[in-house]
Amino acid sequence: MKGPPIILTTDFGQVDEYVGVLKGVILSINPAATLVDLSHAIPPQDIGRAAELIFRNYRYFPHGSLHLCIVDPGVGTKRRIIVVSADGHLFLGPDNGVFSPLLRAYEQAKVYELTNRDWFLERISTTFHGRDIMAPAAAHLSLGAPIAEAGPLVAINSCVRIPPAEPLVRESEIAGKISSIDRFGNLITTIENHHLDALSHKSCLTVSINATEVQFHQVSYAELPDHLPAAIINSSNLLEICVKNDDAATVLGARIGDTVLVKCG
Amino acid sequence: MKGPPIILTTDFGQVDEYVGVLKGVILSINPAATLVDLSHAIPPQDIGRAAELIFRNYRYFPHGSLHLCIVDPGVGTKRRIIVVSADGHLFLGPDNGVFSPLLRAYEQAKVYELTNRDWFLERISTTFHGRDIMAPAAAHLSLGAPIAEAGPLVAINSCVRIPPAEPLVRESEIAGKISSIDRFGNLITTIENHHLDALSHKSCLTVSINATEVQFHQVSYAELPDHLPAAIINSSNLLEICVKNDDAATVLGARIGDTVLVKCG
Amino acid sequence: MKGPPIILTTDFGQVDEYVGVLKGVILSINPAATLVDLSHAIPPQDIGRAAELIFRNYRYFPHGSLHLCIVDPGVGTKRRIIVVSADGHLFLGPDNGVFSPLLRAYEQAKVYELTNRDWFLERISTTFHGRDIMAPAAAHLSLGAPIAEAGPLVAINSCVRIPPAEPLVRESEIAGKISSIDRFGNLITTIENHHLDALSHKSCLTVSINATEVQFHQVSYAELPDHLPAAIINSSNLLEICVKNDDAATVLGARIGDTVLVKCG
């Protein structure tokens, strides 16, 4: 183990060789690097999903970790590659909005454009900057190279932002969406626990999805009633719709993007 | 590398971020931990499958390894979390039967209830004890913390057991089931090599599955006859039904749970 | 980190426990081994695909890396297992053609038959030599054991070769095939950049696949025209057919093995 761990998030999947090649390039520069996969199953080119995933989970990794995010539909164009220092972690990826939630949360974040060719592979393809530019740069940073050597400091306001997937919050109702569906078929929504505070009556909430009403519970999965879809606050403080020991997505015929409404009483 | 490797078995799949987050939590406590995935493709909540997988494979890992098993439909309830010391390995997971085959095989195993809050994350969710309780506890154990600090020793007989997936063995016939189907479409059964010894005539066995009779062979895959389904003893000493360079599950229309009969001659 | 990294390529998938078990065996012998997955999604028994994948990507791993390839339909037969030293890397796998491109490219490669039983597990199954023979041998090599201890040097010409997936190159036309389809639906062909040099007119190439003509471009993905299938040279110097931000395999109804034609003007 040499230097902080490098955490990889990509839309490469695990069928092709792309993730393995990233790791080969990193180990060629820092043979003792610690490499961890956060997810390689980001839907192709889905910057928003990657942004959410990284923002909600980076804090579970060691202070000083380097989060490498390669979801890069603009690969080979003039889009910048940036290194962000925020909340004691480093983030490296294309300047395409993938770090938006982070930049929104940490206005004091420092952002550098990655331009130091000494850190790149010699030959740079037009279609795989993860391999040729980002992975080797991550390796150099993990060896302790100062972030300021990555390239020039850039104004945080110049970075590409994508709009947050915020729910519409009113006193009587919150309208959010399903942002992802996990392996268990749980429906994760864009509605955070703190959004519920805006409702005038927080007791006895009803949640509806695709014309089905589900009850809100503040219990664990196992304590939910059998077979009935239910809404809970999950381990990321998000409203989640689930069915005890079953697949809520199938039971409810739900899909990513479907509207979820929360109402009082 | 610091301390024994931590081997992860879960039903989390590899699409979501859950496995990555477990690793982040572990590395935050033991930055030099060695982490190995055994399988994250346990069918959701399938305690029996996880129990079999861990029991059949733990011995291939270094003496002293720590096997972390998170298949935990009872997460957030009063179900215990236990640490088991057996056969020179450590096992950590919910007390829901996932260590049944192990406890059955090692009656001298020592079992501790995990109650030491100093080992947990500060905030404990109701739905992700893998992240909040089990992963950090595993990290502390991997750093060399004595197992007795996990919590009180509990009676091995107090642990939840699930019934073994034993075949019905008679002198003339063995009735087992397909317990899993691997990537190659091989049908792995609950019938172990030693069960065959009970048959009065071990030569010239016939195996039948879904009304198809297949021949028993004591050879390698490549030496099997082309196209014909065949039964062999596999590398885990289990009766397995396969088709040379083909997918037995598809060829035979077989599914997990289907009955497999072995008869003499 | 002790010794060179061991890079794993198999057709085991990531659902079963097989890959985890390989790693357990390796770590039991070299507890500090660095293990990297290149791909475990080689189609079952597809030696040609594994051969290509390893040959095109081994160079991205550190000099001295040990590439363990377990795609082994002949497991348990008299087929040899070999260790190849070529281009500063080591390769270990069955002598079934999986190292053909490598042996073709490096005629000075040294090939040893793996016969040293001291490196094997005690009990050797007929169906899982990856676990019982190859993984432990790789571990011993990673600890610094001299390759000559693996077993006798064998003549490189005695090794099994599979024919290369070379395109048919004429002055007016190149006929290749789709060799793989990646997660993005990009169609990777057997046509290499240098093959195009054989064409009398390299400007204004047209590429056709399944009766659809697509334009050849020398730009990045993002600079391609919207929705239109296009041909580019990819990051492995191979002709690739893609659709900007879309899935070319679906758009074109293309499959592995389909013919791809390149014509002048």
Side-chain angles (χ1 to χ4, degrees), chain B residues 36-248:
Chain B
V36 186
D37 303 305
L38 180 57
S39 176
H40 299 294
I42 302 292
Q45 292 104 26
D46 192 341
I47 295 166
R49 176 85 186 105
E52 272 296 298
L53 199 80
I54 290 172
F55 182 63
R56 296 211 173 273
N57 294 291
Y58 78 87
R59 65 201 79 206
Y60 291 105
F61 290 86
H63 191 87
S65 289
L66 171 48
H67 302 266
L68 177 57
C69 178
I70 308 179
V71 177
D72 191 14
V75 58
T77 64
K78 292 282 180 201
R79 66 91 188 77
R80 299 187 295 195
I81 297 173
I82 53 178
V83 188
V84 178
S85 172
D87 197 26
H89 292 246
L90 293 183
F91 302 84
L92 195 165
D95 180 16
N96 59 14
V98 79
F99 301 132
S100 299
L102 197 77
L103 299 177
R104 219 172 274 129
Y106 296 98
E107 294 176 9
Q108 307 305 318
K110 289 227 176 329
V111 184
Y112 298 81
E113 184 177 355
L114 176 60
T115 58
N116 183 349
R117 283 197 66 104
D118 292 349
W119 289 2
F120 305 169
L121 295 197
E122 213 169 306
R123 291 194 49 214
I124 295 172
S125 67
T126 51
T127 58
F128 197 0
H129 287 184
R131 178 190 72 191
D132 304 333
I133 295 178
M134 292 184 257
H140 283 283
L141 285 165
S142 78
L143 281 170
I147 187 176
E149 287 182 10
L153 192 65
V154 298
I156 188 171
N157 290 332
S158 72
C159 293
V160 172
R161 307 272 178 126
I162 50 174
E166 293 263 299
L168 197 70
V169 180
R170 275 176 283 177
E171 232 185 81
S172 60
E173 188 185 274
I174 301 170
K177 285 184 185 305
I178 298 175
S179 60
S180 66
I181 298 175
D182 77 7
R183 195 216 180 188
F184 300 95
N186 298 321
L187 311 173
I188 291 106
T189 75
T190 52
I191 301 169
E192 303 197 46
N193 196 14
H194 71 82
H195 291 129
L196 301 180
D197 296 339
L199 292 173
S200 48
H201 306 285
K202 200 177 160 175
S203 65
C204 200
L205 297 179
T206 54
V207 177
S208 61
I209 156 107
N210 296 347
T212 305
E213 272 204 1
V214 311
Q215 214 60 43
F216 180 74
H217 293 267
Q218 282 179 307
V219 298
S220 66
Y221 291 130
E223 291 162 321
L224 292 173
D226 282 324
H227 307 301
L228 283 179
I232 61 162
I233 297 299
N234 75 8
S235 62
S236 297
N237 287 317
L238 293 165
L239 188 81
E240 175 181 309
I241 297 165
C242 54
V243 181
K244 179 181 175 178
N245 290 344
D246 207 338
D247 185 305

Side-chain angles (χ1 to χ4, degrees), chain A residues 247-264:
Chain A
D247 184 305
T250 305
V251 169
L252 294 165
R255 293 159 157 251
I256 289 175
D258 284 356
T259 298
V260 175
L261 292 174
V262 183
K263 288 187 198 181
C264 308

Side-chain angles (χ1 to χ4, degrees), chain C residues 186-219:
Chain C
N186 299 321
L187 310 173
I188 290 106
T189 75
T190 53
I191 301 169
E192 303 199 44
N193 195 15
H194 72 82
H195 291 130
L196 301 180
D197 296 338
L199 292 173
S200 49
H201 307 285
K202 201 178 158 173
S203 65
C204 200
L205 298 178
T206 53
V207 177
S208 61
I209 157 105
N210 297 346
T212 304
E213 274 203 359
V214 311
Q215 215 61 42
F216 180 73
H217 292 268
Q218 282 179 307
V219 298

Side-chain angles (χ1 to χ4, degrees), chain C residues 56 164-176 189-200 202 205 233 237-239 262:
Chain C
R56 295 210 175 275
E166 293 264 299
L168 197 69
V169 178
R170 276 177 282 178
E171 230 183 83
S172 61
E173 190 184 273
I174 300 170
T189 75
T190 53
I191 301 169
E192 303 199 44
N193 195 15
H194 72 82
H195 291 130
L196 301 180
D197 296 338
L199 292 173
S200 49
K202 201 178 158 173
L205 298 178
I233 298 299
N237 288 316
L238 293 165
L239 188 81
V262 183

Side-chain angles (χ1 to χ4, degrees), chain A residues 39-251:
Chain A
S39 177
H40 299 295
I42 301 292
Q45 292 102 25
D46 192 341
I47 296 166
R49 177 85 185 105
E52 272 296 299
L53 199 78
I54 291 172
F55 183 62
R56 295 211 174 274
N57 294 291
Y58 79 87
R59 67 201 77 205
Y60 291 105
F61 290 86
H63 192 84
S65 288
L66 171 49
H67 302 265
L68 178 57
C69 177
I70 309 180
V71 177
D72 190 15
V75 60
T77 65
K78 292 283 178 199
R79 65 93 187 76
R80 300 187 294 195
I81 297 172
I82 54 177
V83 188
V84 178
S85 172
D87 196 27
H89 292 247
L90 292 183
F91 302 84
L92 196 166
D95 180 17
N96 60 13
V98 80
F99 302 133
S100 298
L102 197 76
L103 299 178
R104 219 172 275 127
Y106 297 98
E107 295 176 8
Q108 306 305 318
K110 290 229 177 326
V111 183
Y112 298 81
E113 184 177 355
L114 176 60
T115 59
N116 183 350
R117 283 197 66 103
D118 293 349
W119 288 3
F120 305 169
L121 296 197
E122 214 169 303
R123 292 193 49 214
I124 295 172
S125 67
T126 52
T127 59
F128 198 2
H129 286 184
R131 178 191 70 191
D132 303 333
I133 296 179
M134 291 183 258
H140 283 284
L141 285 166
S142 77
L143 282 170
I147 186 175
E149 285 182 11
L153 193 65
V154 298
I156 188 172
N157 289 332
S158 73
C159 293
V160 173
R161 308 272 177 124
I162 51 174
E166 293 263 299
L168 198 70
V169 178
R170 275 177 284 178
E171 230 184 83
S172 60
E173 189 185 272
I174 300 171
K177 284 185 185 307
I178 297 175
S179 59
S180 66
I181 298 175
D182 76 8
R183 194 216 182 188
F184 300 94
N186 298 321
L187 311 173
I188 290 107
T189 74
T190 54
I191 301 169
E192 304 199 45
N193 196 13
H194 71 81
H195 291 129
L196 302 180
D197 297 338
L199 292 173
S200 48
H201 307 284
K202 202 178 158 176
S203 65
C204 201
L205 297 179
T206 54
V207 177
S208 61
I209 157 108
N210 296 347
T212 305
E213 273 203 2
V214 311
Q215 214 61 42
F216 180 74
H217 293 268
Q218 281 179 307
V219 298
S220 65
Y221 291 130
E223 291 163 320
L224 291 173
D226 282 325
H227 307 300
L228 282 180
I232 61 161
I233 297 300
N234 74 7
S235 62
S236 296
N237 288 317
L238 292 165
L239 188 81
E240 176 182 307
I241 296 164
C242 55
V243 181
K244 178 180 174 177
N245 289 344
D246 207 337
D247 184 305
T250 305
V251 169

